[in-house]
């Protein structure tokens, strides 16, 4: 039995790697011993070890986001698997592929008081695309393990992409000295994309021709975010129609959309510019848009709103879109670009490019703010993970596009703050790049356990904490006016001294409170290697004062456009 289950675990891992898996995050345990040994024996698989399964889950999320390949999550039996759920819920909503391999006690050990034994078969149901309970790896059951790997790959890389779960039962003994397994030839799988019905698109070209339109790109998901063909298709489509492209930072298109790229849509709405230059058509790609102001505008706008989504999923919280085109977005755009399209009037694109330039110029106003501190740091990095509260919104409208790194990632599936540091650790581990994570003080405290893992792994990861003394995003919501509940239940400044906590764990950490101090620290901080923390203290009043000055500068610049 022991030999059969050790070989079955090896066959399973080798088949997954043959299908494209390259990374695994392992959490120590006993029951998962055969899986751990099989993973370590696989030469093409890079293994990381994380004690905390919640941290491990978000590490795997970061790995998948930056590589487009599904990593493995390997845990022991019992409650360990439950700690994966927050990360998998994000992966599910964001369509990010991950493969969970949970070790389990055999059936006869459940419901009898055995330790670490429970029915694990449905623990992850709210988050996974597909599940399989593997048979015990005896002489006959072991043959089913490698084919299950192909089914798992097909499910996690299918339409839509997302997490899957294989529950792997093992009986003791789990290992013995001298036990050997062999890597055997494994079948592999090539993922494919669903395509739109091109015949059904023939009338769509007439719907777009001669119209003043926008191409709006929300956060992209899964392997689609790494498709260079998609980037080229976006560029060609926008050029044919003479439309501006509004690409969110997490769309992976920011700074890569060519001469048609505009930007700062949220801010242009805020100062009233859009009301004077409304489009007739909006074509949306990617997930739901980050800006609440843009979403509210779309919900009240009476124009023609179209969505392209490879999986045919409705990603329009305004519920106002009039058409959903299901299938590979690149193929759809390529087909449309070959049709008899007539471009919008020539001044349409120029108007939005000039407005975007005015918005970027307005950001040169002096002052200490969250966004200005962020601006001084991010230009030194090629890859960054951004917390899904205020930091991602700073990038959307308050940081110059020219200063942004090429790769910007954010957990914009469920948009939670949980696991931001852990996700960034996975990004840094997988990408091999000098990585920056930008996070608020509350989100940092929420994921303090990740700092211990960062100390253990020593990645080249820089952590910028924007410390605004609590839930800064809530100060921008109506609840801030509540006479009693806001301060006690929403603002919640952390009781933890983050500087002392980081230094206590052995991290190099500094705190700055103005541009002068930041200018002294940043040159050394960005050139350093290994993990380090920089905390920027910015009060709410300082931030609001700077934003008011910048908005006024934008209004003045737009007024000069004629």
């Amino acid at each position: 039995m022991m030999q059969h289950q050790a070989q079955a675990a090896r066959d399973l891992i080798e088949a997954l790697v043959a299908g494209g898996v390259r990374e695994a995050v392992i959490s120590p345990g006993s029951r998962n011993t055969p899986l751990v040994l099989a993973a370590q024996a696989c030469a093409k698989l890079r293994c990381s070890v994380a004690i905390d399964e919640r941290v491990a889950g978000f590490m795997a999320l970061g790995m998948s986001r930056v590589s487009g390949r599904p990593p493995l999550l390997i845990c022991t039996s019992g409650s360990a698997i439950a700690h994966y759920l927050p990360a998998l819920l994000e992966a599910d909503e964001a369509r990010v592929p991950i493969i969970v391999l949970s070790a389990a006690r055999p059936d006869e050990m459940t419901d009898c008081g055995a330790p670490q034994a429970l029915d694990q078969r449905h623990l992850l149901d709210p988050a996974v695309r597909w599940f399989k309970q593997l048979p015990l790896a005896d002489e006959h059951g072991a043959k089913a393990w490698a084919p299950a790997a192909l089914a798992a790959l097909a499910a996690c890389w299918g339409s839509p992409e997302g997490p899957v779960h294989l529950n792997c039962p093992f009986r003791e003994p789990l290992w013995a000295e001298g036990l050997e397994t062999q890597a055997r030839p494994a079948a592999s799988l090539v993922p494919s994309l669903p395509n739109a019905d091109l015949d059904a698109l023939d009338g769509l070209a007439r719907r777009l021709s001669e119209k003043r339109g926008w191409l709006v790109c929300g956060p992209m998901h899964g392997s689609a975010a790494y498709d260079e063909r998609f980037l080229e298709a976006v560029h060609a489509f926008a050029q044919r129609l003479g439309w501006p492209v509004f690409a969110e930072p997490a769309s992976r298109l920011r700074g890569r959309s060519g001469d048609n790229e505009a930007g700062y849509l949220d801010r242009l709405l805020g100062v009233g510019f859009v009301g004077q230059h409304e489009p007739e058509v909006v074509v949306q790609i990617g997930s739901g848009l980050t800006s609440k102001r843009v979403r509210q505008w779309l919900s009240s706008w009476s124009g023609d709103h179209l969505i392209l989504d490879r999986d045919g999923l409705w990603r329009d919280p305004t519920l106002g879109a009039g058409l959903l085109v299901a299938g590979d977005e690149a193929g759809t755009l390529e087909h449309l670009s070959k049709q008899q399209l007539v471009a919008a009037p020539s001044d349409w694109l120029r108007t939005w490019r000039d407005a975007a330039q005015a918005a970027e110029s307005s950001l040169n106003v002096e002052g200490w703010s969250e966004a200005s501190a962020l601006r001084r740091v991010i230009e030194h990095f090629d890859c960054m993970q951004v917390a899904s509260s205020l930091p991602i919104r700073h990038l959307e409208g308050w940081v110059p596009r020219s200063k942004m790194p090429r790769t910007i990632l954010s957990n914009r599936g469920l948009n939670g703050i949980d696991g931001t540091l852990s996700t960034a650790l996975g990004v840094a581990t997988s990408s091999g790049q000098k990585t920056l994570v930008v996070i608020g003080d509350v989100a940092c405290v929420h994921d303090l356990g990740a700092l211990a893992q960062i100390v253990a792994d020593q990645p080249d990861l820089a952590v910028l904490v924007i410390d605004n003394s609590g839930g800064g995003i809530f100060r921008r919501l109506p609840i801030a006016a509540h006479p009693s509940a806001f301060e006690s239940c929403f603002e919640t400044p952390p009781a933890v001294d983050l500087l002392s906590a980081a230094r206590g764990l052995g991290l190099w950490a500094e705190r700055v409170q103005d541009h002068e101090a930041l200018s002294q620290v940043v040159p050394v901080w960005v050139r350093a290697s290994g993990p380090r923390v920089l905390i920027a203290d910015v009060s709410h009043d300082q931030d609001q004062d700077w934003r008011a000055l910048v908005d006024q500068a934008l209004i003045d610049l737009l007024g000069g456009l004629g």
Side-chain angles (χ1 to χ4, degrees):
M1 180 70 181
M2 180 172 57
Q3 179 67 44
H4 287 306
Q5 64 185 16
Q7 188 62 57
R10 184 74 182 266
D11 291 346
L12 175 68
I13 295 292
E14 294 286 348
L16 290 167
V17 170
V21 172
R22 290 294 178 268
E23 294 182 283
V25 186
I26 298 167
S27 292
S30 174
R31 190 62 54 165
N32 59 343
T33 295
L35 293 170
V36 172
L37 296 179
Q40 283 202 320
C42 184
K44 293 182 179 180
L45 189 67
R46 180 170 62 182
C47 297
S48 301
V49 178
I51 296 171
D52 183 338
E53 285 86 2
R54 187 194 63 83
V55 171
F58 281 103
M59 284 178 63
L61 179 71
M63 291 173 176
S64 187
R65 279 197 185 282
V66 79
S67 71
R69 294 174 178 266
L72 305 181
L73 275 172
I74 300 176
C75 70
T76 192
S77 60
S79 63
I81 186 176
H83 296 280
Y84 288 157
L85 190 56
L88 296 177
L89 288 169
E90 170 65 25
D92 173 45
E93 187 66 23
R95 289 180 269 181
V96 174
I98 295 174
I99 300 174
V100 175
L101 303 180
S102 59
R105 260 63 172 172
D107 284 345
E108 70 268 15
M109 293 185 69
T110 61
D111 298 325
C112 66
Q116 291 189 333
L118 77 159
D119 186 347
Q120 299 174 183
R121 288 173 290 189
H122 302 291
L123 277 175
L124 302 180
D125 278 2
V128 297
R129 296 277 184 275
W130 175 89
F131 166 80
K132 186 172 182 64
Q133 173 69 29
L134 287 171
L136 278 167
D138 55 21
E139 183 178 356
H140 302 288
K143 297 177 181 178
W145 285 48
L150 294 184
L153 286 163
C156 80
W157 248 336
S159 178
E161 294 176 87
V164 299
H165 176 202
L166 285 164
N167 201 41
C168 310
F170 295 105
R171 282 199 178 115
E172 293 181 337
L174 303 168
W175 176 78
E177 190 172 356
L179 180 66
E180 295 183 0
T181 58
Q182 296 180 345
R184 300 192 285 211
S188 61
L189 174 141
V190 178
S192 61
L193 295 176
N195 292 306
D197 181 351
L198 299 183
D199 291 336
L201 297 177
D202 287 345
L204 187 54
R206 294 189 296 274
R207 195 164 168 175
L208 305 177
S209 283
E210 299 184 87
K211 299 293 195 305
R212 292 174 171 84
W214 294 344
L215 184 59
V216 180
C217 304
M220 290 301 294
H221 54 272
S223 56
Y226 303 88
D227 188 351
E228 291 298 320
R229 176 171 147 261
F230 168 68
L231 178 65
E232 294 169 2
V234 166
H235 190 199
F237 177 78
Q239 280 195 318
R240 281 293 310 274
L241 284 170
W243 286 7
V245 177
F246 294 96
E248 290 197 6
S251 69
R252 304 299 299 273
L253 292 172
R254 175 66 65 88
R256 305 173 67 199
S257 302
D259 295 338
N260 290 65
E261 186 166 339
Y264 307 100
L265 184 55
D266 177 271
R267 292 188 57 216
L268 293 171
L269 268 168
V271 299
F273 185 79
V274 173
Q276 305 165 29
H277 305 276
E278 284 198 352
E280 299 169 279
V281 183
V282 171
V283 174
Q284 177 185 326
I285 300 171
S287 298
L289 306 176
T290 298
S291 168
K292 184 176 182 179
R293 182 180 284 150
V294 173
R295 296 196 306 268
Q296 290 176 334
W297 177 83
L298 277 172
S299 67
S300 61
W301 172 65
S302 58
D304 194 7
H305 184 186
L306 289 68
I307 297 176
L308 310 185
D309 188 277
R310 75 175 264 191
D311 304 310
L313 299 181
W314 195 274
R315 287 294 183 260
D316 171 34
T318 72
L319 305 179
L323 177 66
L324 171 63
V325 180
D328 173 35
E329 298 95 340
T332 299
L333 293 174
E334 287 170 347
H335 178 78
L336 290 171
S337 296
K338 295 174 184 177
Q339 305 307 301
Q340 297 298 316
L341 295 174
V342 180
S346 59
D347 62 344
W348 177 246
L349 177 59
R350 184 173 63 250
T351 294
W352 291 102
R353 291 179 59 191
D354 290 347
Q357 183 56 54
E360 181 142 344
S361 298
S362 72
L363 296 171
N364 293 322
V365 171
E366 292 295 325
W368 180 239
S369 69
E370 297 183 21
S372 61
L374 178 57
R375 171 182 181 173
R376 301 289 181 93
V377 174
I378 65 172
E379 60 185 312
H380 301 283
F381 293 87
D382 296 322
C383 180
M384 65 186 296
Q385 172 76 25
V386 189
S388 190
S389 50
L390 281 179
I392 189 65
R393 290 166 172 83
H394 294 329
L395 289 187
E396 176 60 27
W398 302 90
V399 174
R401 288 180 299 142
S402 57
K403 301 292 184 181
M404 294 186 192
R406 180 180 178 87
T407 301
I408 300 173
L409 305 169
S410 186
N411 291 342
R412 294 300 299 171
L414 293 175
N415 309 339
I417 65 170
D418 187 22
T420 303
L421 291 175
S422 304
T423 305
L425 174 56
V427 169
T429 301
S430 184
S431 70
Q433 294 179 296
K434 188 183 288 286
T435 302
L436 171 71
V437 55
V438 183
I439 190 170
D441 51 328
V442 173
C444 187
V445 170
H446 202 291
D447 202 18
L448 271 182
L451 288 182
Q453 188 67 41
I454 288 169
V455 171
D457 291 358
Q458 290 291 302
D460 193 355
L461 178 63
V463 181
L464 174 62
V465 182
I466 305 294
D467 189 344
N468 54 26
S469 298
I473 196 166
F474 295 115
R475 300 188 188 106
R476 292 168 167 80
L477 300 177
I479 192 61
H482 196 283
S484 58
F486 175 69
E487 185 174 344
S488 60
C489 298
F490 293 90
E491 193 170 32
T492 57
V496 175
D497 182 341
L498 288 173
L499 184 64
S500 298
R503 288 177 173 175
L505 286 167
L507 290 164
W508 174 26
E510 300 288 343
R511 185 185 292 275
V512 297
Q513 297 177 322
D514 53 41
H515 279 304
E516 182 178 358
L518 184 65
S519 298
Q520 292 175 355
V521 171
V522 164
V524 179
W525 191 74
V526 298
R527 287 198 302 269
S529 59
R532 62 270 195 205
V533 177
L534 179 60
I535 303 169
D537 290 344
V538 184
S539 74
H540 175 67
D541 290 343
Q542 286 174 312
D543 195 64
Q544 289 299 96
D545 289 347
W546 180 81
R547 283 173 175 254
L549 292 173
V550 168
D551 270 346
Q552 186 57 56
L554 175 56
I555 291 170
D556 294 342
L557 288 166
L558 291 173
L561 293 181

